[in-house]
Amino acid sequence: MPSRAFYLSTPIYYVNARPHIGHTYTTVVADVIARRRRALGEEVWFLTGTDEHGQKIERSAANAGTAPQQFTDQVSAEFRGLWDRMGLSYDDFIRTTEDRHKRGVAKLWNVLKERGFLYKGTYTGQYCVWDELYVEAGPGAPCPDCGRTTETVSEENYFFKLSAFENRLLTLYAEQPDFIQPETRRNEVLAFVRGGLRDLSVSRTSFKWGIPVPGDPSHVIYVWLDALANYITALGYGSDDESLFGKFWPAQLHVIGKEISRFHCVYWPAFLMAAGLPLPRAVVAHGWLLFEQSKMSKSRGNIVRAETILAVLGADALRYFLLREIVFGQDGSFSFDALVGRYNADLANGYGNLVSRTLAMIVKYCEGVVPDGASDPVIGDQAGMTIDAVAGEFQGLNFSKALEAAWAYITSVDGFLSANTPWKRPAHISEKDEAVWRSGILYTAAEAIRILTALVYPVIPEAAAKVWAQLGLGEIKQADLRHLSWGGLQPGTRLGALGPVFPRADKDAAERMQAMELENTKTAPAAKPDTNPQAPEAVPAPSDPVFASLNPALPQSPSIVLTPDQVPTGPLPLGVFEPGLQSFEDAALVGQIAAPAPIEMVSASEVLAGAGAPKPDALPQITIDDFMKVELRVAQILVAERVPKADKLLRLEVDLGYERRQILAGIAETYAPEALVGRKVVIVANLAPRKLRGLESNGMVVAASLGERGKPALAGFLDEVELGARLK
Ligand code: MSP
């Protein structure tokens, strides 16, 4: 009998882009949790779906030359089709364009209105269409989250009294410290709320693609209020039948990516409090999947599709890789080489090989029937410890560690087989005792495989189902983790038909997948990217107005390749590295501080001596007005420390006299952090904030770029200078 109701959700995905493995990552994590919970006897409801309203989708549809409904039908079906092909075990898939959702949102609106939390006012301010986010900043300011240029909105809107919830939210975070996980996200949210909450505009009038405000249809409901409500509308909130809502709400867990913590941990609980509804138990935010060192996203053009991996290695390979390779909560990198490496080492040579050699021996020596033998006490004890370790790590959402524990056990069982050589009777075993001796070894290995298979089933369900059937245990659904203990495999069980579980990937597998992705990028995508000329993800350096005015000769296309004469060889004004790289920070992240090979660079000693150096090619002239757009200021380094897993990056905290801020600089190979503290440097103070390795960088430290490898030399002063002084 199922014991408890466990409701969990993924974010609902925007349909402006086709699914990529970043979306897959979240959905797989939720699927793993759902499967494990079911195996623990809980009654699980697992929700996913698509977010289909708002200005961003309306524009994407217009760019694709398609009506919004047709556009969203098409992309939503792609998401759902992919989840089905991957065997993701969702119980419901909600679309925000469905009637059931619209009805529920209208009810929520009415409840908020009746309870006095909505009022009409005028909003004049900035809006980031990409993030569908109101931004407190001046006209033309960049979005603090994504760096894209915000648009000025001046509309009569409905407002939600968010400010009334500041204290209640702070009390919630204090009383329920695990409401937001992990700790880093909690700190961010706390800082945001402690900074003060302003009322939130929750309707728009300047476009149409949304749910109309009940009784005032010239307004559409703000897309985040619309979207967040999916978690209750999918359970029937606002319909004639609210039985699922009664049974499963509040959710135990919302699984999200870290960039949408504020919406889920501030706005969503505030909406629910205002409506008098119970709050979800917890929100857990994972990190980003990086590809080629930056967040995988459509607009960067660095996406990898799950389809490619499914076609070559299968869904379990991707699931295993995502959970084993990425430390949950932190950013992690994807590469085809790493995927194939993990697949061969852990799945083909590890688990797959253990299964096939053990079961083949049972066929050969025991006529395909699990033998009755005395099991090895050490392997038996280790099984118990592994069950406990995996349970503990899963509970803490440390998937990577859970899998490490399971694979340590595989290594141990493998070692046990190799040490006991059941295929070759040792001299001290008499011929008479041979069958008993071998039965003990093979029973031990088969039972270890049963335990392992039940443990890893949530992560690699397809393979686990195969192995379960090969062990003669029928359908894996019967794997009940509540009663998993050593000795459960019945001697006399006849094995099922054997077959390969994880065939070894050939050495070209990574290249083939890369080629498939390349081919896919060339063929037109179904969902055309938005046109957002300011989007830094799309064209980082040249689209920046400051950068462009300094380098008007640079091409504006995302696929630019600088020819040698376009690459300046002297000190770099705002940094000209590889196309798309803006600074030492960017260059450090991709490990490309060196200039392209054919260009002759000035060596450090030549620069210092001032002799023999070829004159750098001049950049096009700029006016003083152009120069004045760059805010160069004196700052003092107060804190300098290395950024974990980024060899070239330092995290600096600098004092500008009037403010303290964090900057990331790609100078770790040249400067020891301790040598920098106290040093006065020049920074670009008005550079739009950017995230590197998940940390926000607010500005850029100016340095000369020396020699072929572009070694940085920080700009500084011989004179005494005041903090914050402007360079002009
Ligand atoms: N529609 C909103 C969510 C509304 S929920 C009420 C949205 N959609 S999204 O399509 O942009 O998807 C966001 C989610 O997709 C992220 O929170 C994350 O779960 C997942 N990811 C998208 N790109 C990702 C990576 N590169 N890496 C990891 N997860 C990523 O925001």
Side-chain angles (χ1 to χ4, degrees):
M1 264 297 275
S3 54
R4 282 189 295 143
F6 189 95
Y7 176 37
L8 85 165
S9 64
T10 70
I12 48 171
Y13 302 105
Y14 282 133
V15 290
N16 65 310
R18 298 159 112 191
H20 57 67
I21 60 168
H23 307 113
T24 309
Y25 177 45
T26 317
T27 323
V28 163
V29 165
D31 185 67
V32 168
I33 298 171
R35 284 176 188 272
R36 188 171 161 89
R37 291 283 174 171
R38 288 191 196 107
L40 285 167
E42 292 174 38
E43 191 171 4
V44 170
W45 196 258
F46 166 21
L47 175 72
T48 188
T50 43
D51 187 353
E52 307 186 11
H53 287 134
Q55 204 166 5
K56 173 157 85 168
I57 308 293
E58 190 181 73
R59 286 187 187 171
S60 294
N63 286 340
T66 317
Q69 188 61 60
Q70 193 190 339
F71 180 81
T72 60
D73 286 349
Q74 187 187 329
V75 185
S76 176
E78 284 198 46
F79 272 93
R80 189 168 187 158
L82 177 62
W83 296 166
D84 289 342
R85 261 177 293 142
M86 288 194 67
L88 295 166
S89 65
Y90 62 86
D91 294 289
D92 194 3
F93 187 102
I94 180 102
R95 299 184 55 192
T96 55
T97 49
E98 287 176 85
D99 282 345
R100 60 171 174 156
H101 175 73
K102 293 183 198 165
R103 253 196 319 266
V105 171
K107 170 165 171 181
L108 179 63
W109 180 276
N110 287 333
V111 171
L112 294 175
K113 187 111 201 289
E114 280 155 21
R115 292 170 64 102
F117 290 105
L118 298 179
Y119 65 92
K120 244 181 188 174
T122 304
Y123 178 82
T124 300
Q126 300 308 113
Y127 191 78
C128 171
V129 176
W130 183 262
D131 290 323
E132 301 283 12
L133 175 71
Y134 293 97
V135 174
E136 281 179 31
C143 167
D145 278 11
C146 72
R148 290 175 174 79
T149 305
T150 53
E151 296 179 17
T152 305
V153 168
S154 184
E155 292 174 4
E156 188 197 46
N157 289 160
Y158 283 91
F159 281 79
F160 170 72
K161 287 187 185 167
L162 184 63
S163 56
F165 293 91
E166 209 172 293
N167 288 335
R168 286 179 66 183
L169 286 168
L170 290 172
T171 309
L172 165 72
Y173 309 145
E175 286 177 352
Q176 230 176 284
D178 59 353
F179 177 74
I180 316 162
Q181 302 168 40
E183 188 70 18
T184 36
R185 303 282 89 82
R186 182 169 186 274
N187 292 340
E188 280 169 13
V189 169
L190 270 176
F192 177 75
V193 176
R194 284 190 186 132
L197 294 179
R198 304 241 300 247
D199 289 352
L200 181 71
S201 163
V202 284
S203 75
R204 299 289 309 275
T205 49
S206 55
F207 67 96
K208 287 269 155 281
W209 185 239
I211 301 177
V213 166
D216 198 352
S218 59
H219 291 251
V220 293
I221 295 175
Y222 174 42
V223 65
W224 271 100
L225 173 53
D226 166 345
L228 287 160
N230 91 89
Y231 300 131
I232 54 175
T233 62
L235 295 176
Y237 174 81
S239 76
D240 297 340
D241 178 4
E242 292 196 346
S243 54
L244 277 179
F245 182 62
K247 182 170 181 178
F248 287 108
W249 190 257
Q252 295 290 315
L253 195 61
H254 291 313
V255 181
I256 60 166
K258 65 181 182 183
E259 77 290 355
I260 52 176
S261 312
R262 187 195 308 172
F263 300 100
H264 284 80
C265 303
V266 181
Y267 299 170
W268 182 223
F271 293 151
L272 290 167
M273 285 171 181
L277 293 170
L279 306 184
R281 197 45 212 91
V283 177
V284 53
H286 63 67
W288 284 338
L289 201 55
L290 311 175
F291 187 55
E292 292 159 356
Q293 310 294 339
S294 45
K295 185 185 180 220
M296 194 174 290
S297 82
K298 178 196 68 172
S299 55
R300 270 183 216 267
N302 67 342
I303 63 161
V304 173
R305 298 162 318 129
E307 289 88 335
T308 299
I309 299 161
L310 296 196
V312 176
L313 297 177
D316 281 356
L318 176 57
R319 294 170 67 101
Y320 178 78
F321 178 86
L322 293 173
L323 293 213
R324 174 66 184 81
E325 194 80 11
I326 297 163
V327 176
F328 191 75
Q330 295 178 18
D331 291 351
S333 290
F334 175 86
S335 80
F336 286 112
D337 285 336
L339 171 70
V340 173
R342 274 269 171 225
Y343 175 88
N344 276 336
D346 296 4
L347 297 178
N349 296 346
Y351 178 65
N353 186 47
L354 174 65
V355 170
S356 57
R357 74 199 283 222
T358 303
L359 301 192
M361 281 191 280
I362 293 179
V363 168
K364 181 168 175 192
Y365 299 112
C366 315
E367 294 170 347
V369 172
V370 174
D372 193 355
S375 65
D376 183 87
V378 175
I379 297 293
D381 285 352
Q382 284 176 353
M385 289 188 281
T386 308
I387 293 169
D388 291 346
V390 169
E393 299 297 1
F394 263 117
Q395 190 61 29
L397 303 176
N398 303 316
F399 304 109
S400 184
K401 285 223 156 66
L403 293 173
E404 244 175 64
W407 259 257
Y409 188 50
I410 291 178
T411 307
S412 179
V413 180
D414 249 336
F416 165 78
L417 281 178
S418 302
N420 287 285
T421 62
W423 53 91
K424 186 169 179 281
R425 178 172 57 86
H428 69 277
I429 301 289
S430 70
E431 221 170 296
K432 182 166 70 69
D433 293 337
E434 179 171 356
V436 172
W437 160 79
R438 184 176 291 115
S439 296
I441 301 169
L442 292 183
Y443 178 83
T444 300
E447 172 59 346
I449 290 172
R450 184 187 71 92
I451 301 262
L452 272 164
T453 303
L455 289 176
V456 299
Y457 156 76
V459 179
I460 46 172
E462 237 175 72
K466 273 191 204 164
V467 174
W468 207 249
Q470 292 186 17
L471 278 170
L473 300 174
E475 266 199 68
I476 188 78
K477 286 202 177 108
Q478 293 158 15
D480 183 348
L481 289 174
R482 280 174 307 181
H483 305 116
L484 190 64
S485 62
W486 186 259
L489 181 61
Q490 292 307 312
T493 305
R494 175 160 294 284
L495 299 188
L498 303 193
V501 182
F502 287 114
R504 238 190 110 71
D506 61 61
K507 62 179 179 8
D508 301 331
E511 279 152 40
R512 262 186 296 134
M513 287 188 279
Q514 254 149 7
M516 284 163 78
E517 281 304 285
L518 205 64
E519 194 49 38
N520 181 65
T521 351
K522 281 193 225 144
T523 54
K528 260 208 223 158
D530 293 337
T531 37
N532 181 352
Q534 304 290 352
E537 284 192 346
V539 197
S543 69
D544 182 309
V546 177
F547 184 97
S549 64
L550 286 168
N551 301 280
L554 289 182
Q556 298 282 321
S557 144
S559 58
I560 49 172
V561 176
L562 300 190
T563 58
D565 59 346
Q566 284 171 313
V567 181
T569 50
L572 305 175
L574 276 182
V576 180
F577 292 93
E578 291 278 75
L581 304 182
Q582 201 174 348
S583 66
F584 279 112
E585 292 88 297
D586 282 335
L589 280 176
V590 297
Q592 283 176 333
I593 285 197
I599 305 159
E600 226 182 74
M601 297 294 286
V602 188
S603 78
S605 55
E606 283 168 336
V607 169
L608 292 173
K615 182 180 179 295
D617 287 345
L619 286 172
Q621 285 188 336
I622 58 169
T623 65
I624 187 70
D625 289 344
D626 289 328
F627 175 72
M628 289 307 282
K629 286 179 192 160
V630 185
E631 193 188 347
L632 296 168
R633 290 194 186 272
V634 178
Q636 185 168 35
I637 298 175
L638 300 179
V639 176
E641 58 186 25
R642 293 187 181 277
V643 175
K645 294 196 189 144
D647 296 347
K648 296 170 182 163
L649 216 50
L650 289 185
R651 189 184 78 81
L652 308 176
E653 277 175 40
V654 301
D655 185 4
L656 277 156
Y658 55 92
E659 109 182 3
R660 185 171 165 155
R661 53 164 87 179
Q662 171 172 288
I663 296 183
L664 299 172
I667 55 174
E669 288 190 328
T670 307
Y671 293 97
E674 54 284 8
L676 288 174
V677 175
R679 187 160 168 167
K680 285 183 179 164
V681 290
V682 178
I683 70 159
V684 182
N686 63 338
L687 196 65
R690 294 178 310 147
K691 282 208 172 131
L692 299 167
R693 297 274 169 179
L695 296 169
E696 189 164 280
S697 184
N698 281 294
M700 188 179 114
V701 180
V702 175
S705 168
L706 307 179
E708 261 184 18
R709 293 200 37 81
K711 186 179 167 193
L714 292 175
F717 302 90
L718 295 174
D719 300 315
E720 214 22 64
V721 282
E722 256 176 50
L723 298 188
R726 179 137 187 221
L727 280 78
K728 47 188 181 176

